[in-house]
Amino acid sequence: MFYHLLFFLLQSPVPSVVQSAAFALSNLARGKDANLKALMDAGIAESLIHLMDLDTDQGTMAEAAWTLAYLTAGGEYEQTFVSLGLIPRVVAALDKLSQQTPHDSAVVTPLVRCLGNICSGPEELVTMATGDGSLLPSIGRLLHSDHRHIKKETLWALSNMTEVSSVCQQLVSLGLLPGIVSCLENTYDIKREAVVCLCNLAYQGPALCQVLLQHGAFPGVINMLKNQDTDAIGLALGFADLILKNDSSAKHLFEEHGGLKLLEPLEYHNNPEIHKQVAEFLEAHFYQDDEHK
Protein backbone atom coordinates (compact mmCIF):
# COMPACT_ATOMS: atom_id res chain seq x y z
CA MET A 1 0.00 0.00 0.00
CA PHE A 2 2.84 2.38 0.94
CA TYR A 3 4.59 1.79 -2.40
CA HIS A 4 1.39 2.60 -4.27
CA LEU A 5 1.10 5.84 -2.30
CA LEU A 6 4.59 6.82 -3.45
CA PHE A 7 3.58 5.96 -7.01
CA PHE A 8 0.71 8.49 -6.80
CA LEU A 9 2.98 11.11 -5.21
CA LEU A 10 5.31 10.81 -8.20
CA GLN A 11 2.41 12.06 -10.34
CA SER A 12 1.96 15.19 -8.20
CA PRO A 13 1.98 18.59 -9.98
CA VAL A 14 4.02 19.96 -7.06
CA PRO A 15 7.78 19.54 -7.80
CA SER A 16 8.79 19.37 -4.13
CA VAL A 17 6.35 16.50 -3.53
CA VAL A 18 7.72 14.59 -6.52
CA GLN A 19 11.29 15.08 -5.29
CA SER A 20 10.38 13.91 -1.78
CA ALA A 21 8.69 10.81 -3.19
CA ALA A 22 11.72 10.09 -5.38
CA PHE A 23 13.99 10.53 -2.34
CA ALA A 24 11.89 8.07 -0.32
CA LEU A 25 12.03 5.54 -3.16
CA SER A 26 15.80 5.83 -3.51
CA ASN A 27 16.15 4.94 0.17
CA LEU A 28 13.67 2.07 -0.08
CA ALA A 29 15.49 0.63 -3.10
CA ARG A 30 18.94 0.78 -1.49
CA GLY A 31 20.58 -2.10 0.36
CA LYS A 32 20.50 -5.88 0.24
CA ASP A 33 17.17 -6.11 2.06
CA ALA A 34 15.31 -3.81 -0.34
CA ASN A 35 12.03 -5.21 -1.66
CA LEU A 36 12.60 -4.38 -5.33
CA LYS A 37 9.77 -6.63 -6.47
CA ALA A 38 7.27 -4.65 -4.43
CA LEU A 39 8.53 -1.43 -6.00
CA MET A 40 8.23 -2.85 -9.48
CA ASP A 41 4.79 -4.34 -8.76
CA ALA A 42 3.62 -0.88 -7.66
CA GLY A 43 4.35 0.36 -11.19
CA ILE A 44 6.92 2.99 -10.24
CA ALA A 45 9.35 2.10 -13.06
CA GLU A 46 7.56 4.06 -15.78
CA SER A 47 7.12 7.12 -13.55
CA LEU A 48 10.82 7.10 -12.65
CA ILE A 49 11.81 6.88 -16.30
CA HIS A 50 9.62 9.90 -17.10
CA LEU A 51 11.63 11.83 -14.49
CA MET A 52 14.69 11.34 -16.73
CA ASP A 53 13.11 14.02 -18.92
CA LEU A 54 15.43 16.92 -19.70
CA ASP A 55 12.94 19.37 -18.17
CA THR A 56 13.02 17.66 -14.76
CA ASP A 57 14.97 19.58 -12.13
CA GLN A 58 18.30 17.91 -11.44
CA GLY A 59 17.63 17.27 -7.75
CA THR A 60 14.56 15.17 -8.55
CA MET A 61 16.32 13.49 -11.47
CA ALA A 62 19.19 12.54 -9.16
CA GLU A 63 16.89 10.79 -6.67
CA ALA A 64 15.03 9.00 -9.48
CA ALA A 65 18.31 8.00 -11.11
CA TRP A 66 19.59 6.42 -7.88
CA THR A 67 16.39 4.40 -7.59
CA LEU A 68 16.79 3.25 -11.19
CA ALA A 69 20.44 2.40 -10.53
CA TYR A 70 19.42 0.11 -7.66
CA LEU A 71 16.59 -1.45 -9.68
CA THR A 72 18.83 -2.20 -12.69
CA ALA A 73 21.77 -3.53 -10.66
CA GLY A 74 20.76 -7.19 -10.67
CA GLY A 75 19.54 -7.44 -14.26
CA GLU A 76 16.28 -9.06 -13.12
CA TYR A 77 14.09 -6.32 -14.60
CA GLU A 78 16.31 -5.54 -17.59
CA GLN A 79 13.75 -6.22 -20.31
CA THR A 80 11.07 -4.25 -18.50
CA PHE A 81 13.26 -1.16 -18.42
CA VAL A 82 14.30 -1.62 -22.04
CA SER A 83 10.68 -1.89 -23.16
CA LEU A 84 9.78 1.24 -21.17
CA GLY A 85 12.46 3.24 -23.01
CA LEU A 86 15.00 3.74 -20.22
CA ILE A 87 18.06 3.57 -22.49
CA PRO A 88 17.32 6.58 -24.77
CA ARG A 89 16.24 8.63 -21.74
CA VAL A 90 19.51 8.00 -19.89
CA VAL A 91 21.58 8.58 -23.03
CA ALA A 92 19.82 11.90 -23.74
CA ALA A 93 20.22 13.04 -20.12
CA LEU A 94 23.95 12.24 -20.14
CA ASP A 95 24.38 14.04 -23.45
CA LYS A 96 22.92 17.20 -21.92
CA LEU A 97 24.58 16.95 -18.50
CA SER A 98 28.03 16.08 -19.86
CA GLN A 99 28.05 19.41 -21.71
CA GLN A 100 27.40 21.40 -18.53
CA THR A 101 30.45 22.57 -16.60
CA PRO A 102 31.20 21.88 -13.89
CA HIS A 103 29.58 18.47 -13.99
CA ASP A 104 26.86 17.89 -11.40
CA SER A 105 28.15 14.80 -9.63
CA ALA A 106 24.90 14.32 -7.69
CA VAL A 107 22.90 13.49 -10.83
CA VAL A 108 25.59 12.34 -13.28
CA THR A 109 26.96 9.65 -10.95
CA PRO A 110 23.71 7.63 -10.61
CA LEU A 111 22.91 8.10 -14.31
CA VAL A 112 26.27 6.64 -15.31
CA ARG A 113 25.82 3.84 -12.77
CA CYS A 114 22.45 3.06 -14.35
CA LEU A 115 24.06 3.06 -17.80
CA GLY A 116 26.82 0.73 -16.60
CA ASN A 117 24.25 -1.68 -15.19
CA ILE A 118 22.39 -1.76 -18.50
CA CYS A 119 25.60 -2.23 -20.51
CA SER A 120 26.61 -5.20 -18.37
CA GLY A 121 23.75 -7.08 -20.04
CA PRO A 122 23.52 -8.54 -23.56
CA GLU A 123 25.55 -7.00 -26.38
CA GLU A 124 22.44 -5.70 -28.11
CA LEU A 125 21.77 -3.36 -25.18
CA VAL A 126 25.21 -1.79 -25.63
CA THR A 127 24.49 -1.44 -29.34
CA MET A 128 21.16 0.17 -28.50
CA ALA A 129 22.79 2.62 -26.09
CA THR A 130 25.45 3.69 -28.60
CA GLY A 131 23.14 3.60 -31.63
CA ASP A 132 22.41 7.30 -32.07
CA GLY A 133 26.08 8.30 -31.79
CA SER A 134 25.72 10.66 -28.81
CA LEU A 135 26.74 8.39 -25.94
CA LEU A 136 30.46 7.91 -26.61
CA PRO A 137 31.12 11.65 -27.02
CA SER A 138 29.30 12.12 -23.68
CA ILE A 139 31.54 9.46 -22.15
CA GLY A 140 34.57 11.26 -23.56
CA ARG A 141 33.58 14.50 -21.85
CA LEU A 142 32.91 12.75 -18.55
CA LEU A 143 36.34 11.08 -18.61
CA HIS A 144 37.79 14.57 -18.15
CA SER A 145 35.47 15.46 -15.27
CA ASP A 146 36.92 17.10 -12.17
CA HIS A 147 34.79 14.77 -10.02
CA ARG A 148 36.58 11.52 -9.25
CA HIS A 149 33.29 9.67 -8.68
CA ILE A 150 32.14 10.57 -12.19
CA LYS A 151 35.49 9.50 -13.64
CA LYS A 152 35.38 6.16 -11.84
CA GLU A 153 31.74 5.40 -12.71
CA THR A 154 32.33 6.42 -16.34
CA LEU A 155 35.33 4.08 -16.65
CA TRP A 156 33.32 1.26 -15.06
CA ALA A 157 30.46 1.77 -17.52
CA LEU A 158 32.97 1.95 -20.37
CA SER A 159 34.61 -1.29 -19.23
CA ASN A 160 31.24 -2.99 -19.77
CA MET A 161 30.77 -1.30 -23.14
CA THR A 162 34.24 -2.20 -24.45
CA GLU A 163 33.39 -5.87 -24.34
CA VAL A 164 31.67 -5.10 -27.66
CA SER A 165 34.08 -4.93 -30.60
CA SER A 166 32.26 -2.17 -32.51
CA VAL A 167 32.38 0.09 -29.43
CA CYS A 168 36.15 -0.38 -29.19
CA GLN A 169 36.56 0.75 -32.78
CA GLN A 170 34.28 3.76 -32.28
CA LEU A 171 36.07 4.72 -29.09
CA VAL A 172 39.41 4.90 -30.89
CA SER A 173 38.04 6.75 -33.92
CA LEU A 174 36.38 9.36 -31.69
CA GLY A 175 39.65 10.03 -29.87
CA LEU A 176 38.62 8.74 -26.43
CA LEU A 177 41.75 6.66 -25.87
CA PRO A 178 43.98 9.50 -24.58
CA GLY A 179 41.37 10.23 -21.92
CA ILE A 180 41.45 6.63 -20.71
CA VAL A 181 45.27 6.51 -20.73
CA SER A 182 45.44 9.76 -18.74
CA CYS A 183 43.44 8.03 -15.97
CA LEU A 184 46.47 5.79 -15.33
CA GLU A 185 47.98 8.77 -13.52
CA ASN A 186 45.07 8.94 -11.08
CA THR A 187 44.23 7.16 -7.81
CA TYR A 188 44.31 3.36 -7.67
CA ASP A 189 40.55 2.79 -7.95
CA ILE A 190 40.40 4.91 -11.11
CA LYS A 191 43.58 3.31 -12.52
CA ARG A 192 42.05 -0.11 -12.03
CA GLU A 193 38.92 0.72 -14.02
CA ALA A 194 41.07 2.26 -16.76
CA VAL A 195 43.18 -0.90 -17.05
CA VAL A 196 40.07 -3.06 -17.38
CA CYS A 197 39.03 -0.88 -20.36
CA LEU A 198 42.52 -1.14 -21.85
CA CYS A 199 42.52 -4.94 -21.43
CA ASN A 200 39.22 -5.12 -23.30
CA LEU A 201 40.72 -3.02 -26.10
CA ALA A 202 43.89 -5.13 -26.26
CA TYR A 203 41.76 -8.26 -26.47
CA GLN A 204 40.52 -7.05 -29.88
CA GLY A 205 43.81 -8.03 -31.52
CA PRO A 206 47.05 -6.72 -33.07
CA ALA A 207 45.67 -3.55 -34.68
CA LEU A 208 44.28 -2.17 -31.45
CA CYS A 209 47.35 -3.30 -29.50
CA GLN A 210 49.43 -1.16 -31.86
CA VAL A 211 47.14 1.81 -31.22
CA LEU A 212 47.46 1.28 -27.46
CA LEU A 213 51.25 1.29 -27.71
CA GLN A 214 51.18 4.42 -29.86
CA HIS A 215 49.11 6.21 -27.23
CA GLY A 216 51.53 5.33 -24.42
CA ALA A 217 49.31 2.93 -22.51
CA PHE A 218 52.13 0.52 -21.64
CA PRO A 219 54.22 2.53 -19.09
CA GLY A 220 51.28 3.44 -16.88
CA VAL A 221 50.02 -0.15 -16.75
CA ILE A 222 53.49 -1.57 -16.06
CA ASN A 223 53.82 0.78 -13.09
CA MET A 224 50.85 -1.00 -11.51
CA LEU A 225 53.17 -3.97 -10.92
CA LYS A 226 54.54 -1.91 -8.01
CA ASN A 227 51.15 -2.07 -6.33
CA GLN A 228 50.72 -4.32 -3.31
CA ASP A 229 47.19 -5.22 -4.38
CA THR A 230 47.05 -8.63 -6.07
CA ASP A 231 44.15 -7.56 -8.28
CA ALA A 232 46.23 -4.67 -9.66
CA ILE A 233 49.17 -6.97 -10.35
CA GLY A 234 46.94 -9.50 -12.09
CA LEU A 235 45.37 -6.84 -14.32
CA ALA A 236 48.75 -5.35 -15.26
CA LEU A 237 50.13 -8.79 -16.14
CA GLY A 238 47.02 -9.63 -18.13
CA PHE A 239 47.36 -6.45 -20.18
CA ALA A 240 51.09 -6.97 -20.78
CA ASP A 241 50.43 -10.57 -21.83
CA LEU A 242 47.84 -9.46 -24.42
CA ILE A 243 50.19 -6.81 -25.81
CA LEU A 244 53.17 -9.16 -26.09
CA LYS A 245 51.08 -11.95 -27.62
CA ASN A 246 49.94 -9.56 -30.34
CA ASP A 247 53.24 -7.72 -30.81
CA SER A 248 56.41 -9.57 -29.78
CA SER A 249 58.48 -6.45 -30.58
CA ALA A 250 56.86 -4.80 -27.55
CA LYS A 251 59.07 -6.91 -25.27
CA HIS A 252 61.80 -4.28 -25.40
CA LEU A 253 59.26 -1.68 -24.23
CA PHE A 254 58.31 -3.90 -21.31
CA GLU A 255 61.98 -4.13 -20.33
CA GLU A 256 62.66 -0.46 -21.06
CA HIS A 257 59.94 0.61 -18.65
CA GLY A 258 61.26 -1.62 -15.88
CA GLY A 259 58.81 -4.48 -16.27
CA LEU A 260 61.32 -7.31 -15.75
CA LYS A 261 62.80 -5.69 -12.65
CA LEU A 262 59.33 -5.28 -11.19
CA LEU A 263 58.60 -8.95 -11.86
CA GLU A 264 61.69 -10.22 -10.00
CA PRO A 265 60.19 -9.95 -6.49
CA LEU A 266 56.82 -11.15 -7.78
CA GLU A 267 58.35 -14.51 -8.80
CA TYR A 268 58.39 -15.28 -5.08
CA HIS A 269 55.03 -13.72 -4.23
CA ASN A 270 53.18 -15.43 -1.36
CA ASN A 271 49.95 -15.43 -3.38
CA PRO A 272 49.96 -18.66 -5.44
CA GLU A 273 47.86 -17.15 -8.25
CA ILE A 274 50.27 -14.24 -8.72
CA HIS A 275 53.26 -16.58 -8.48
CA LYS A 276 51.74 -18.80 -11.19
CA GLN A 277 50.75 -15.87 -13.44
CA VAL A 278 54.25 -14.35 -13.27
CA ALA A 279 55.90 -17.70 -14.00
CA GLU A 280 53.66 -18.32 -17.01
CA PHE A 281 54.20 -14.78 -18.32
CA LEU A 282 57.98 -15.05 -18.11
CA GLU A 283 57.97 -18.52 -19.64
CA ALA A 284 55.80 -17.40 -22.55
CA HIS A 285 57.59 -14.19 -23.40
CA PHE A 286 61.16 -14.24 -22.06
CA TYR A 287 62.53 -17.60 -20.89
CA GLN A 288 61.90 -19.35 -24.20
CA ASP A 289 64.19 -16.84 -25.92
CA ASP A 290 66.93 -17.61 -23.40
CA GLU A 291 66.66 -21.34 -24.16
CA HIS A 292 67.20 -20.74 -27.88
CA LYS A 293 70.33 -18.63 -27.43
Side-chain angles (χ1 to χ4, degrees), residues 49 51-52 56 61 73 83-84 88 120 126 157 172 175 209 235 237 239 248-249 257-259 271 274-275 282:
I49 291 171
L51 292 177
M52 298 300 100
T56 303
M61 186 186 286
S83 64
L84 290 172
S120 65
V126 179
V172 172
C209 284
L235 280 171
L237 278 171
F239 179 78
S248 59
S249 67
H257 293 293
N271 182 295
I274 293 298
H275 173 79
L282 290 170

Side-chain angles (χ1 to χ4, degrees), residues 53-84:
D53 189 89
L54 299 180
D55 293 329
T56 303
D57 75 89
Q58 291 183 195
T60 302
M61 186 186 286
E63 299 298 349
W66 273 120
T67 308
L68 288 168
Y70 300 138
L71 289 169
T72 55
E76 185 179 356
Y77 304 108
E78 185 178 86
Q79 288 306 315
T80 299
F81 283 111
V82 170
S83 64
L84 290 172

Side-chain angles (χ1 to χ4, degrees), residues 7-20:
F7 167 79
F8 287 114
L9 291 176
L10 286 176
Q11 323 303 317
S12 172
V14 183
S16 60
V17 172
V18 176
Q19 183 169 352
S20 295

Side-chain angles (χ1 to χ4, degrees), residues 58 61-62 65-66 90 93-100 102-115 138 141-142 145 147 149-151 153-154:
Q58 291 183 195
M61 186 186 286
W66 273 120
V90 170
L94 286 174
D95 182 33
K96 175 189 175 183
L97 293 167
S98 67
Q99 296 182 61
Q100 297 176 357
H103 293 134
D104 186 342
S105 178
V107 63
V108 172
T109 301
L111 279 170
V112 177
R113 176 81 62 86
C114 189
L115 173 73
S138 300
R141 290 187 286 270
L142 294 175
S145 179
H147 294 275
H149 291 297
I150 291 179
K151 227 183 248 285
E153 291 289 345
T154 300

